[in-house]
Amino acid sequence: MNTLPRWADLVLLPVVSLLVALLAAGAVVALVGQDPWEVIQVLVHGAFGTARGFSYTLYYATTFVFTGLAVAVAFHGGLFNIGGEGQAIMGGLGTGLVALWWSAFLPAWLMLPIMMISGALFGMAWAAVPAYLQAYRGSHVVITTIMFNFIASSVLVYLLVNHLRPKGSMSVESAAFAPSAHLPAMHEALAWVGIDWPSSPLNLSVLLAALAAVAVYLFLWRTRAGYRLRAVGSSPSAAEYAGIKARHQVIIAMGISGALAGLVGMNEIAGVSGKLILEFVSGAGFTGIAVALMGRNHPLGIVLASLLFGALFQGGAEVAFEVQGFTRDMVVMLQGFIVLFSGAMTYVIAPLLARVLGWVMLPFASQAKAGVAHG
């Protein structure tokens, strides 16, 4: 049976899956009477062609990095965490609550780290309950995290409507934070060093996302704790035989996963809205599943897949605006094809790609064997 080498699984397979998805989506676009090439051109230019468009792409990608890493860490621990949506909501709630309580009298250098830690802890705590139920009560984490998504959304609505909304306001949102709770936007930060950059929602949490990706890589592949987590994810019974407590690793994997999802609040709450609002996650937790699948649950792949989905969100908005007759629903269709081919269809594409790669590499392997025999 042909199997893909590691480099092909991480790089080549996602690229091929993306190309197949684009071809399939292009065929559908052509069937509805649109020009696929025009759509792709507008999408790419809208996402990467201008500094402002690229900033929006990075802004969307930042959130997807957090939720994609959250899914990946749980996956390496043998868990399918689909509760990133709820964990991100609770993380944003934690980020916003400390800002409402303390931003009026704490300086930014102290307020912003407290907001980040609070968001991570709220997300971690929200993930810890399904983790405990999975590890010690046998309740499947997929079911419990689905339920916790709805509960988190309801908790946020209840608090905003009944406790956090300013008196007399009809908007379901909290009061604005004090300036010390504002995470600087990228154009503001670049202006400090004399670089002129167009304004956009992109903020310094993009650097936090990059650090999170590096930290996850170092933890999973360069520490003993990460090895123990991956060992349980590969074979819980073998890990138990080696002296690793699988139940503890379930708690650890879900805790880290929830903390990563909770950091979404730094991008959306501290970096953009400056107050607690409804729908600040907007499905990013579920998009993180697709990002992790396409990134093969590797931090580098997740960063690249996040850029792709960020480009789809930003470029798709430009396509819906610029291309006559191309609706937002068609953009969602394009995203759906990419999710399909990077997820379920990967298992169809991978064996075919391994076979083709074997044919391509066969002459080189034969030459190498001949060289060894001659030597």
Side-chain angles (χ1 to χ4, degrees):
M1 179 179 177
N2 291 329
T3 57
L4 285 171
R6 181 65 173 165
W7 68 269
D9 185 59
L10 289 176
V11 179
L12 189 58
L13 181 59
V15 171
V16 172
S17 299
L18 174 61
L19 291 176
V20 174
L22 291 177
L23 287 173
V28 175
V29 168
L31 286 174
V32 298
Q34 297 287 343
D35 181 3
W37 182 242
E38 179 189 5
V39 170
I40 291 297
Q41 282 184 312
V42 173
L43 190 149
V44 172
H45 183 268
F48 301 107
T50 64
R52 183 177 176 83
F54 184 54
S55 295
Y56 270 87
T57 297
L58 288 177
Y59 156 66
Y60 292 124
T62 298
T63 291
F64 300 150
V65 167
F66 290 134
T67 56
L69 289 173
V71 173
V73 170
F75 181 85
H76 283 291
L79 304 164
F80 190 26
N81 177 20
I82 60 175
E85 190 84 0
Q87 292 148 23
I89 289 172
M90 295 306 292
L93 180 61
T95 300
L97 285 177
V98 294
L100 289 170
W101 294 336
W102 299 333
S103 63
F105 55 86
L106 286 182
W109 64 266
L110 184 58
M111 187 70 251
L112 291 173
I114 290 175
M115 291 170 69
M116 180 187 71
I117 294 170
S118 177
L121 289 177
F122 267 61
M124 179 184 293
W126 200 248
V129 180
Y132 173 81
L133 293 174
Q134 165 85 33
Y136 293 95
R137 291 294 181 265
S139 299
H140 202 287
V141 73
V142 169
I143 304 300
T144 52
T145 50
I146 289 174
M147 295 167 60
F148 269 55
N149 285 337
F150 291 104
I151 296 172
S153 179
S154 299
V155 168
L156 179 63
V157 171
Y158 171 78
L159 290 176
L160 282 176
V161 171
N162 296 286
H163 297 283
L164 301 177
R165 183 176 55 170
K167 291 183 179 180
S169 173
M170 297 300 292
S171 299
V172 186
E173 59 187 30
S174 73
F177 305 152
S180 65
H182 170 67
L183 188 64
M186 186 59 70
H187 65 274
E188 296 171 338
L190 292 176
W192 299 338
V193 294
I195 299 175
D196 185 27
W197 196 261
S199 63
S200 72
L202 179 65
N203 56 79
L204 292 184
S205 64
V206 67
L207 303 180
L208 180 61
L211 290 174
V214 173
V216 167
Y217 171 78
L218 294 176
F219 169 74
L220 287 176
W221 284 281
R222 292 293 184 270
T223 67
R224 292 181 179 179
Y227 175 80
R228 289 194 293 268
L229 188 147
R230 289 188 295 115
V232 171
S234 298
S235 177
S237 57
E240 286 278 4
Y241 185 77
I244 300 172
K245 295 182 179 180
R247 288 178 174 180
H248 291 181
Q249 297 307 313
V250 169
I251 303 295
I252 291 170
M254 284 295 291
I256 296 173
S257 179
L260 288 165
L263 292 176
V264 167
M266 289 303 293
N267 187 31
E268 302 292 342
I269 300 297
V272 180
S273 64
K275 53 189 172 184
L276 265 173
I277 60 174
L278 288 174
E279 303 296 335
F280 67 90
V281 180
S282 298
F286 298 112
T287 304
I289 299 173
V291 166
L293 286 172
M294 188 161 195
R296 313 302 289 165
N297 291 296
H298 190 282
L300 177 59
I302 287 169
V303 170
L304 296 176
S306 298
L307 285 172
L308 170 64
F309 276 87
L312 287 174
F313 273 68
Q314 168 58 19
E318 293 289 333
V319 169
F321 182 76
E322 296 286 343
V323 180
Q324 187 176 2
F326 199 94
T327 65
R328 183 65 186 173
D329 292 334
M330 294 181 182
V331 177
V332 175
M333 177 271 298
L334 179 61
Q335 295 169 355
F337 270 107
I338 291 175
V339 172
L340 173 65
F341 282 93
S342 63
M345 293 301 292
T346 296
Y347 297 101
V348 177
I349 297 171
L352 299 175
L353 182 60
R355 193 174 303 168
V356 171
L357 196 62
W359 292 338
V360 172
M361 298 301 294
L362 184 60
F364 299 98
S366 299
Q367 290 178 6
K369 288 181 180 179
V372 170
H374 182 73

